[in-house]
Amino acid sequence: MSASVVQTKDLDLYYGDFQALTKVSVGIAPNKITALIGPSGCGKSTLLRTFNRLNDLIPGVRVEGSVQVSGQEIYAAETNLVELRKRVGLVFQRPNPFPLSVYENMAFAAKVHRTARGAALDETIERCLRDVLLWDELKDSLRQSALALSLAQQQRLCLARLLTVMPDVLLMDEPCSTLDPNATMALEELMTGLKEQYTILIVTHNMQQAARVSQDCGFMLLGELIEFCPTGRMFTDPADERTKDYVTGRFG
Ligand code: ADP
C-alpha cells in the first residue's frame, strides 16, 4: 500500500446532509490506469474530484478521513491548492479549453507555475502536443483559437495542457463521453502510452472501456467502494455478489 500514489483511508464526503462517499479506503498504484465503475450517481466523480480537492468549490461539502497524494495529507490546512492541482490534473467530460489560442492554452499553466518560458516553454509545448499526437496537426496553427478545434482535438489539447507542468496524477472524468468511436479509440491508445509516465485514474460508465484500458478497477455502489482489484478479475471472478450482478449487466 505504501507504493500508492493516491491513498485514501475511511474517506467520507457529505454534500450538506447527504453522504455521497462512505468509508472509502483505496490505494492507486503508480504507472497504471485505474478505472472507477458503477451505476450513475454512485460517487465516482465525487471520489475523483476529492483527489485534487475540486469538491471544495461546492458550498456545504464536508470531507472526513484521510486522502494522501504522494504521502502528503491533501486536506491538511497548509495544503497549497494551486500546487496540488498542478500535481493532480483533471480532464473533464466536456473539453474546456480557454477561449485563447492553442499556444496560449498550452503556455497557461507553465506561466502560472513559472516552470518554463522562452525557448524552454516552446520546447515543452511541442513535446506535450507530440505526447497527445496533436503536434503534426496543429504546429502550423498554434495561434488559432482553441475553440475552433474539433471536440476530439480540444480534449487532447486539454490533456496536453496538463502535461506541461508534469503532474504526478491524471484524473479523467468520462473523458470520451463527447467523442465518436474513432476519437475514443485514439484517446484510449494515448492513455495507454501515457501510463508509462503518469498515474492515471479514469471514471467511466462504459464497462468495456474499463476492461480495455485499465489494469486496476474499483466498483462503487451508493457511495461505497464495494470491490477493488485487478481489472481482469473484476470482470471474470469478482469477490462480491453485487459486483458480479453489475458486471454481468443485472443492474445499472
Ligand atoms: P457518479 O459520478 O457515480 O455518477 P456523482 O459523484 O456525480 O456520481 O454523485 C454521487 C451522488 O452525489 C449523487 O447522488 C449525486 O446526486 C450527488 N451529488 C453530486 N454532486 C452534488 C452536488 N454538487 N450537490 C449535491 N449532491 C451532489
Side-chain angles (χ1 to χ4, degrees):
M1 296 289 262
S2 59
S4 300
V5 177
V6 177
Q7 177 83 55
T8 74
K9 186 149 190 303
D10 291 337
L11 171 65
D12 293 327
L13 183 141
Y14 299 83
Y15 293 112
D17 294 335
F18 175 71
Q19 183 163 9
L21 297 177
T22 305
K23 297 273 171 279
V24 174
S25 297
V26 67
I28 307 298
N31 302 110
K32 283 188 180 180
I33 300 175
T34 299
L36 291 175
I37 61 169
S40 181
C42 69
K44 303 179 297 294
S45 297
T46 299
L47 180 60
L48 198 76
R49 289 193 306 253
T50 58
F51 299 149
N52 72 354
R53 291 189 49 176
L54 209 63
N55 295 311
D56 288 21
L57 302 173
I58 301 167
V61 164
R62 188 158 53 89
V63 175
E64 291 172 2
S66 164
V67 184
Q68 294 189 349
V69 174
S70 306
Q72 206 184 343
E73 198 65 53
I74 63 166
Y75 280 86
E78 63 270 21
T79 297
N80 177 334
L81 291 184
V82 175
E83 183 62 25
L84 174 65
R85 290 174 190 149
K86 169 179 169 239
R87 285 165 52 208
V88 184
L90 175 62
V91 175
F92 292 82
Q93 267 187 29
R94 284 196 69 80
N96 57 346
F98 306 125
L100 299 169
S101 71
V102 169
Y103 185 92
E104 286 166 304
N105 267 272
M106 291 298 292
F108 200 90
K111 284 186 179 162
V112 169
H113 297 286
R114 300 181 187 192
T115 50
R117 61 195 175 95
L121 177 57
D122 290 349
E123 275 170 33
T124 299
I125 288 172
E126 178 174 340
R127 174 176 52 78
C128 296
L129 286 174
R130 282 191 190 282
D131 281 349
V132 302
L133 307 180
L134 269 185
W135 176 252
D136 289 336
E137 284 168 51
L138 297 185
K139 66 177 184 231
D140 297 323
S141 45
L142 295 176
R143 299 290 165 189
Q144 75 163 313
S145 169
L147 301 182
L149 304 179
S150 71
L151 277 177
Q153 289 175 321
Q154 287 185 14
Q155 194 60 307
R156 280 187 283 157
L157 178 69
C158 291
L159 178 56
R161 184 173 75 171
L162 297 180
L163 303 183
T164 57
V165 289
M166 315 242 310
D168 299 328
V169 183
L170 293 173
L171 307 175
M172 299 186 161
D173 192 351
E174 305 262 14
C176 301
S177 59
T178 63
L179 305 182
D180 65 33
N182 283 338
T184 296
M185 206 162 72
L187 194 67
E188 288 179 1
E189 278 173 18
L190 263 184
M191 290 169 62
T192 297
L194 288 171
K195 80 176 192 310
E196 306 303 325
Q197 293 176 69
Y198 302 96
T199 299
I200 300 178
L201 195 56
I202 178 176
V203 161
T204 176
H205 65 268
N206 179 333
M207 279 192 274
Q208 284 75 23
Q209 179 167 64
R212 280 194 301 268
V213 300
S214 71
Q215 290 73 56
D216 285 340
C217 192
F219 168 61
M220 296 185 70
L221 193 59
L222 295 172
E224 286 183 62
L225 183 66
I226 303 295
E227 187 155 353
F228 188 85
C229 63
T231 302
R233 194 182 329 146
M234 176 75 75
F235 289 101
T236 56
D237 188 24
D240 193 288
E241 279 300 313
R242 292 165 293 182
T243 315
K244 193 184 286 177
D245 286 348
Y246 183 71
V247 299
T248 54
R250 287 219 185 112
F251 70 94

